[in-house]
Amino acid sequence: MQTFIASNSKEFAQQTADFLFQRFVQKPDLIVALAAGETPLLPYTRLVEKLIHERVDLSRCTFIGLDEWVGIPPDNPGSCAYFLRNVVLDPLNIKSDRFKLFNSQAADLQQECRNMDAFILSRGVLDAIVVGIGMNGHIGFNEPGVSAKKYSHVIDLDANTKNVGQKYFSEHTALSKGITLGLQTLLDAKQAILLANGARKATIMRKALEGPLSIEVPASIMQQHANGFIFMDEAAAGELTMKQNGA
């Protein structure tokens, strides 16, 4: 694992954007899975601006959505699909055959999971996967207690996730299940990038990075990844005992 600790949220966003930008430049046919949410919003915004400004050819790249709330339509502003389309895919003019998002309204969600895994497998493996971390240590919708050997799957959401998730919706929304890439998908990816900012994430980041590897803190799986990269601001890194920046 390499850690990159920025002095503030703006620097965090720029460091993350610069790192991801280089992935696209170095591999014109990059296959990348992207999380939605508050944490990656500014990093993605900076990344998109730079990709457009530098006129990087993305025509051979493939974008994958990390997860989705089951039953929430893609035109709902609280959905992960809505976020990724508006923040990344549409601004970059990514064509529909170059990205795949979970259809969380599919009649057969297990088949939807198989379709996602097959889509990725048909292209090899993920070159990079970008994830955030929940207050309960989840990444994607891989909730505490989940098996580390799962690929795409449907899962019952933790109470914490259901409560925190309300912030993405304009009115109270029933959230019960999620559909997500699994921890095995993350381990198989050539690079895994975990993002965290804000003091509220300090305790869970300490547990994830310095605590024991445990399914009760799913993000601790990052300790096992051969090419794991952690981007934080100082607030999120506030409880770490070792604060060594990566090179």
Side-chain angles (χ1 to χ4, degrees):
M1 266 188 325
Q2 294 187 52
T3 59
F4 299 82
I5 302 174
S7 58
N8 54 56
S9 59
K10 289 184 179 180
E11 185 181 312
F12 156 78
Q14 194 62 55
Q15 283 187 354
T16 304
D18 290 345
F19 182 87
L20 294 175
F21 177 82
Q22 289 303 317
R23 307 284 78 74
F24 285 97
V25 171
Q26 292 168 5
K27 198 170 191 301
D29 58 348
L30 189 76
I31 306 170
V32 59
L34 299 177
E38 284 184 336
T39 299
L41 175 57
L42 187 54
Y44 289 171
T45 302
R46 296 282 179 82
L47 170 64
V48 168
E49 290 171 351
K50 191 166 185 176
L51 289 169
I52 293 173
H53 183 265
E54 299 296 330
R55 299 184 178 181
V56 176
D57 181 6
L58 302 173
S59 62
R60 295 166 55 202
C61 293
T62 303
F63 297 78
I64 307 289
L66 177 67
D67 54 9
E68 187 58 273
W69 309 99
V70 166
I72 301 300
D75 60 353
N76 186 310
S79 72
C80 301
Y82 187 94
F83 175 95
L84 290 174
R85 285 178 181 275
N86 281 271
V87 177
V88 178
L89 301 172
D90 289 350
L92 291 176
N93 195 30
I94 305 300
K95 299 188 182 305
S96 60
D97 62 339
R98 304 308 307 181
F99 69 84
K100 185 168 179 59
L101 310 177
F102 280 112
N103 174 11
S104 71
Q105 295 184 296
D108 188 340
L109 290 174
Q110 299 304 325
Q111 185 60 49
E112 182 67 13
C113 290
R114 291 190 287 270
N115 291 346
M116 177 62 84
D117 292 339
F119 182 87
I120 295 172
L121 185 62
S122 70
R123 287 155 175 76
V125 297
L126 295 176
D127 292 305
I129 182 170
V130 182
V131 299
I133 181 171
M135 298 298 293
N136 61 0
H138 76 200
I139 46 180
F141 284 137
N142 291 281
E143 302 284 28
V146 71
S147 168
K149 297 182 179 180
K150 284 183 178 290
Y151 286 93
S152 296
H153 61 103
V154 178
I155 191 168
D156 292 331
L157 297 177
D158 184 80
N160 178 274
T161 302
K162 290 187 280 190
N163 290 333
V164 173
Q166 294 301 322
K167 66 184 177 182
Y168 297 113
F169 300 91
S170 59
E171 58 186 20
H172 182 80
T173 302
L175 305 172
S176 61
K177 294 180 181 292
I179 185 169
T180 184
L181 300 183
L183 295 180
Q184 189 63 58
T185 314
L186 179 142
L187 287 175
D188 287 353
K190 294 177 183 178
Q191 294 184 332
I193 300 124
L194 173 64
L195 312 182
N197 66 344
R200 69 195 186 287
K201 296 291 179 70
T203 298
I204 196 61
M205 286 300 289
R206 172 177 52 78
K207 291 179 180 178
L209 303 185
E210 298 183 345
L213 183 64
S214 169
I215 60 173
E216 295 309 315
V217 183
S220 65
I221 200 76
M222 290 293 296
Q223 297 179 31
Q224 281 191 313
H225 203 288
N227 287 296
F229 300 87
I230 317 296
F231 287 84
M232 299 172 280
D233 61 7
E234 285 187 353
E239 294 187 20
L240 298 179
T241 57
M242 297 181 65
K243 300 182 182 179
Q244 190 171 24
N245 278 324

